[in-house]
Amino acid sequence: MSYQEYQQLVAQSKYLEAARFAEQQAESSRESHESGEFWLTQQARALSHAGEYKAALEVGRRALNLAPDNTFAVAATADALLGLKRLEEALGHYEELLHSPRLLHQGRKGVLECLAGAKRWEQLLERLSGWNLPEEQSLPWRVKAISALGRSEEALESCRRWLELRPHYPSALWQSVELEIRVNGLEATVEKAGRLARIPSLPQVYREIYASLCRRAGKPEEAVKAYETIGAEGEQGRIQKKKAFTLAKSGREQEALPLLEELLKSEPADKYLHSSYAAACRRTGELERAINFYNRLLTLHPEERSLYGRIKGMQNKLEERG
C-alpha cells in the first residue's frame, strides 16, 4: 500500500508531500536494516518533479551509493543533473539507461534533452538516425535540430509532415509559424494565419496564433479582435492575459486596467500581471486607483506579503508627483 500512496500523491502533483512520504519510508527501511535505495530513488524523483534538483541529486547519489547498479537510481540522478543544467554528467547517466530495456525510452529522451541543451545538433541528428525511432517521436527533435542549424525550408517540410501525423497539434503549429516567418516573411505569414483564423471549424489555436502574429506585426487592434473571438475551452485566463497585455501596450489602458485587476484577484503573485498593471497605472496617472486596488487585494489575499511593497512603491510615486 505504501507505494500506492506515494503514486497517488505524485498523480495529484503533490510532489513535496510525496518526497516527504518517501523519506519516511526510507528511514523506516533503515530501521528495519533494509538498504532503502528504492525509497531514496522515489524521493529523488519526487524532488525533481518539484524542481528541487539540488536536493534530488543529493538523495539520488545516496541511492546510488547503496546500489550502484540500480538503473532507477541512475535515472533519478540523471534527471536531477539535467534539472541543474549539468548536461555532460547527466548525459553520461542517461547513456547507461540505453542498456536497460525498461528505461530505454527515458534514456533516449534524456540523451536528446542533453544534446539539445548543449546545442550539439549534428550529434542529436546522428542519434535520431541511429535509433530509427517512429516518425511521430523523431520529428519534433528533428525540426528543432535542423531549424537551429539554419536549414529553415527543410525544417518547415519536416514540420508539415509532423502536422500530417498530428493534425492541429499546437507545438507543431507554433514551430511551423516561426519557420514560415523565416522562409516567407512576417507579412505573408500573418496573411495566411488570418485566413486560417477565419475558418470556424478549426481549433482556437489558429486564432491565438493569428492574434500573436498581429501583436508582433504592430497591429494591436487586430490582435485584440482576434483574442476576443477565442472561447474559454479551459484556457480563458491565459488568453485574457494576452489580451490585457496587448490593450495596455497599445494605448488602451482604460480597457486593460479592469481586466488586469480581475486577473490579479485570482493570480495575486503573477509578477507579469503586476508589472503590466503598475506600468499602465503610471502612464494614465491612476496611482490612487492602484493603491486602493492593492489594499483591496490585500484583504482578499493577506498571505501575499509582497503587496505591501507594491503599495509603498505606488505611494512613493504619488508623493513624487506632488
Side-chain angles (χ1 to χ4, degrees):
M1 286 296 293
S2 297
Y3 186 56
Q4 289 179 343
E5 290 177 57
Y6 168 83
Q7 285 183 308
Q8 188 174 23
L9 290 170
V10 170
Q12 295 170 349
S13 300
K14 297 179 179 179
Y15 300 124
L16 290 177
E17 287 184 45
R20 285 192 291 271
F21 181 83
E23 184 178 20
Q24 292 167 1
Q25 297 302 313
E27 288 174 0
S28 297
S29 297
R30 283 196 296 274
E31 290 170 5
S32 304
H33 304 290
E34 299 171 12
S35 65
E37 78 273 5
F38 172 81
W39 282 111
L40 287 172
T41 297
Q42 305 315 313
Q43 184 186 355
R45 285 181 56 220
L47 286 167
S48 281
H49 281 307
E52 300 289 340
Y53 300 115
K54 187 176 180 180
L57 178 58
E58 180 183 336
V59 175
R61 283 181 166 163
R62 283 168 57 197
L64 279 177
N65 286 337
L66 292 171
D69 296 327
N70 186 320
T71 52
F72 291 95
V74 172
T77 305
D79 289 344
L81 287 164
L82 179 61
L84 291 168
K85 309 298 183 188
R86 291 164 62 169
L87 300 177
E88 289 302 321
E89 294 172 81
L91 180 60
H93 283 71
Y94 284 124
E95 294 276 10
E96 291 183 48
L97 303 184
L98 300 181
H99 306 291
S100 168
R102 293 180 66 185
L103 294 174
L104 177 61
H105 178 74
Q106 184 178 350
R108 284 176 169 176
K109 183 176 183 296
V111 167
L112 294 173
E113 291 277 8
C114 291
L115 293 174
K119 303 187 186 307
R120 290 157 60 177
W121 305 114
E122 294 289 1
Q123 290 180 49
L124 189 152
L125 291 171
E126 287 173 13
R127 292 299 184 109
L128 288 177
S129 177
W131 289 339
N132 197 27
L133 298 173
E135 269 191 297
E136 193 167 329
Q137 291 180 29
S138 66
L139 279 169
W141 292 106
R142 177 172 172 76
V143 168
K144 189 171 187 175
I146 59 180
S147 173
L149 289 168
R151 292 150 55 181
S152 301
E153 292 187 7
E154 186 181 348
L156 185 55
E157 284 302 312
S158 292
C159 222
R160 287 168 180 157
R161 175 57 183 159
W162 185 8
L163 284 165
E164 286 177 12
L165 296 172
R166 296 197 66 177
H168 315 307
Y169 185 54
S171 293
L173 287 170
W174 284 104
Q175 186 65 48
S176 70
V177 162
E178 291 300 320
L179 291 165
E180 285 185 11
I181 291 171
R182 285 197 214 169
V183 174
N184 302 317
L186 179 57
E187 187 175 343
T189 306
V190 172
E191 186 178 341
K192 178 183 174 182
R195 291 196 299 270
L196 292 170
R198 288 188 287 274
I199 300 174
S201 60
L202 289 178
Q204 74 171 22
V205 64
Y206 289 90
R207 296 187 286 284
E208 188 177 346
I209 286 171
Y210 177 58
S212 177
L213 288 172
C214 285
R215 288 177 64 187
R216 195 160 164 180
K219 300 178 179 179
E221 296 293 332
E222 286 298 311
V224 170
K225 288 178 186 176
Y227 283 130
E228 288 172 347
T229 67
I230 298 173
E233 296 184 24
E235 294 200 348
Q236 189 64 8
R238 185 172 60 82
I239 299 301
Q240 288 292 85
K241 281 185 189 179
K242 291 189 175 184
K243 178 183 173 183
F245 294 154
T246 304
L247 287 168
K249 289 181 178 179
S250 61
R252 294 169 63 180
E253 286 91 350
Q254 293 301 332
E255 295 173 69
L257 288 175
L259 187 53
L260 287 165
E261 287 172 350
E262 285 303 310
L263 289 164
L264 280 166
K265 287 176 186 177
S266 58
E267 298 183 60
D270 190 310
K271 62 182 180 180
Y272 299 107
L273 286 173
H274 280 294
S275 177
S276 182
Y277 180 68
C281 286
R282 287 195 296 270
R283 287 196 299 271
T284 57
E286 301 229 32
L287 299 178
E288 287 187 11
R289 171 181 179 153
I291 293 168
N292 292 333
F293 170 70
Y294 278 142
N295 277 307
R296 292 197 304 274
L297 194 60
L298 192 55
T299 63
L300 291 172
H301 300 279
E303 77 286 351
E304 197 58 49
R305 312 297 291 179
S306 65
L307 291 172
Y308 288 106
R310 297 188 186 280
I311 292 168
K312 183 64 176 175
M314 285 294 178
Q315 288 173 335
N316 290 339
K317 288 287 183 185
L318 190 59
E319 290 171 7
E320 287 173 12
R321 292 191 177 185

